[in-house]
Amino acid sequence: MINLVTCLVIFVLLFAVSALRLNVGNDYLKYVEFMHLAYSNAYVPTEIGFNMLAKIIYFLCGFENYLLIFAIFAFATIYFFMKAMYEQSKWFTLSFVMFMLLGYYFQSLSTVRYYLALSIALYAVKFVINRDWPRFVLITLLGSLFHKSLLLILLLYVVAQLKWKRWMYAGLGILGISCLFLKDFYLKIVIYLYPSYKNTEYLEGGTSIVNIVRCIVIFAFSMWLYKDVIKDSRENRFYFICNIMALVLYVFGSFIPVISRVGYYLTVTHILFVPALVVGIKDEDKRKIATAATMIACVIYFVLYMRGAGNDGIRILPYQTFLFHDLPLTLSERGYY
């Protein structure tokens, strides 16, 4: 009961901060514009789930109540993240600390559709581990109605849950190296699947040194504990493979459009994997050292993240609420594009 009450308090606090915000997040005004266009039956590049939600809420409210839609997204996103950590984490406290300090919650204030999909992906991990494929496919398809990139986990997570052999690791390495020579070929495949990326800035790609270092450190940590914690655990092997796949993706796939969105579906499992590794350390002193090292690393990451929190691309600072601020005019209200 104490655990449930504590989680409820955490949920309410996070939901309040997210639901009360106004013009916080890089895409806030853009989403308000998309909602308006969807309600007006104009073309918008967003998925049918997002568009229908905007139409239904606006119709029921009798006005363009974008605040309620953002609140609904906040509720669902925080719910799935919290439920995933509560049900699947070996150490909820550490998972929650990583969830906050690694920026998952704060970034959800910006790219709301994608982070709803990311939270659903983390929640869907339990269906993959239990091989409950009907529920896994169903929740993935439902989530893809709000961000179609979620469909990627139908491949990524299914591959990661396999019991990998040595030739599979070799094959992954060869696939990664092939990116150095077949970049144009792979880009044609991406453009075929996502034609909206053609001739846009999304094709510029780019990778993250921070994410590469993070994956390498977790790989080294997991190899140290492989026999004791990973080898005989189907769940931890899944997390282990996700980390390896993410590392290969970040190192060799920098040309892939919006690579971070693909990689995050793999690295979001870190908030479950790292606590499982720490808990699996038998020596108490070493476990305390690992816990402290994890906390320090997360704090450093959080400091670096918050230093740029007001920059374009993030814009979660300064924090504003509709209780005390007004929304700037959107493109439609200004009368030009």
Side-chain angles (χ1 to χ4, degrees), residues 52-332:
M52 290 304 299
L53 179 64
K55 290 183 179 181
I56 292 172
I57 296 299
Y58 281 12
F59 173 77
L60 293 177
C61 292
F63 66 100
E64 298 192 7
N65 192 351
Y66 54 85
L67 294 173
L68 180 56
I69 297 178
F70 280 114
I72 291 173
F73 269 93
F75 185 96
T77 301
I78 299 169
Y79 172 80
F80 282 116
F81 270 125
M82 292 290 294
K83 190 171 179 63
M85 290 185 288
Y86 185 78
E87 293 182 351
Q88 301 175 58
S89 178
K90 295 295 189 300
W91 187 3
F92 174 82
T93 301
L94 185 56
S95 289
F96 179 71
V97 167
M98 295 181 67
F99 169 67
M100 296 299 293
L101 294 183
L102 294 181
Y104 290 108
Y105 169 71
F106 298 101
Q107 196 62 26
S108 71
L109 303 179
S110 186
T111 50
V112 295
R113 286 167 43 250
Y114 174 73
Y115 271 80
L116 172 61
L118 191 64
S119 68
I120 293 174
L122 186 66
Y123 177 70
V125 166
K126 73 174 186 178
F127 299 128
V128 177
I129 301 301
N130 297 330
R131 292 182 177 175
D132 188 349
W133 302 120
R135 292 188 182 183
F136 171 63
V137 172
L138 178 61
I139 195 171
T140 301
L141 292 178
L142 291 175
S144 68
L145 295 177
F146 297 90
H147 205 287
K148 61 184 178 181
S149 69
L150 186 61
L151 294 173
L152 289 169
I153 70 172
L154 292 176
L155 173 63
L156 297 176
Y157 286 6
V158 170
V159 171
Q161 62 86 37
L162 298 174
K163 191 171 183 178
W164 280 43
K165 306 295 183 181
R166 291 183 178 179
W167 66 268
M168 299 175 73
Y169 290 105
L172 179 63
I174 293 173
L175 179 63
I177 294 174
S178 71
C179 293
L180 301 176
F181 307 98
L182 301 175
K183 173 182 175 181
D184 293 337
F185 173 73
Y186 290 139
L187 272 178
K188 288 181 180 179
I189 296 177
V190 172
I191 294 174
Y192 176 78
L193 296 175
Y194 289 90
S196 60
Y197 285 165
K198 187 175 182 179
N199 299 324
T200 67
E201 69 275 10
Y202 292 116
L203 290 181
E204 295 177 3
T207 191
S208 170
I209 300 299
V210 174
N211 282 326
I212 291 176
V213 172
R214 176 172 146 190
C215 289
I216 291 175
V217 171
I218 292 178
F219 174 74
F221 188 29
S222 59
M223 287 302 295
W224 176 47
L225 297 168
Y226 188 85
K227 290 184 178 180
D228 295 332
V229 182
I230 300 174
K231 184 178 180 180
D232 298 323
S233 171
R234 187 168 181 274
E235 181 178 3
N236 291 338
R237 285 203 311 270
F238 171 82
Y239 301 143
F240 178 73
I241 297 300
C242 281
N243 184 65
I244 291 179
M245 292 171 65
L247 179 58
V248 172
L249 179 67
Y250 282 125
V251 171
F252 297 103
S254 60
F255 65 92
I256 298 176
V258 200
I259 184 177
S260 62
R261 293 190 175 183
V262 182
Y264 277 12
Y265 284 124
L266 297 169
T267 58
V268 72
T269 60
H270 287 170
I271 65 178
L272 301 177
F273 188 31
V274 173
L277 292 174
V278 173
V279 170
I281 300 176
K282 297 179 181 179
D283 186 280
E284 184 176 354
D285 291 334
K286 292 181 179 180
R287 186 165 61 250
K288 290 180 179 180
I289 293 174
T291 302
T294 301
M295 294 288 192
I296 292 172
C298 288
V299 169
I300 293 174
Y301 186 96
F302 182 70
V303 170
L304 294 175
Y305 174 78
M306 293 304 291
R307 286 182 63 187
N311 298 340
D312 290 338
I314 301 179
R315 286 196 64 251
I316 63 172
L317 291 178
Y319 179 81
Q320 297 178 343
T321 169
F322 65 82
L323 299 175
F324 306 107
H325 300 88
D326 295 320
L327 186 71
L329 295 177
T330 62
L331 291 174
S332 295

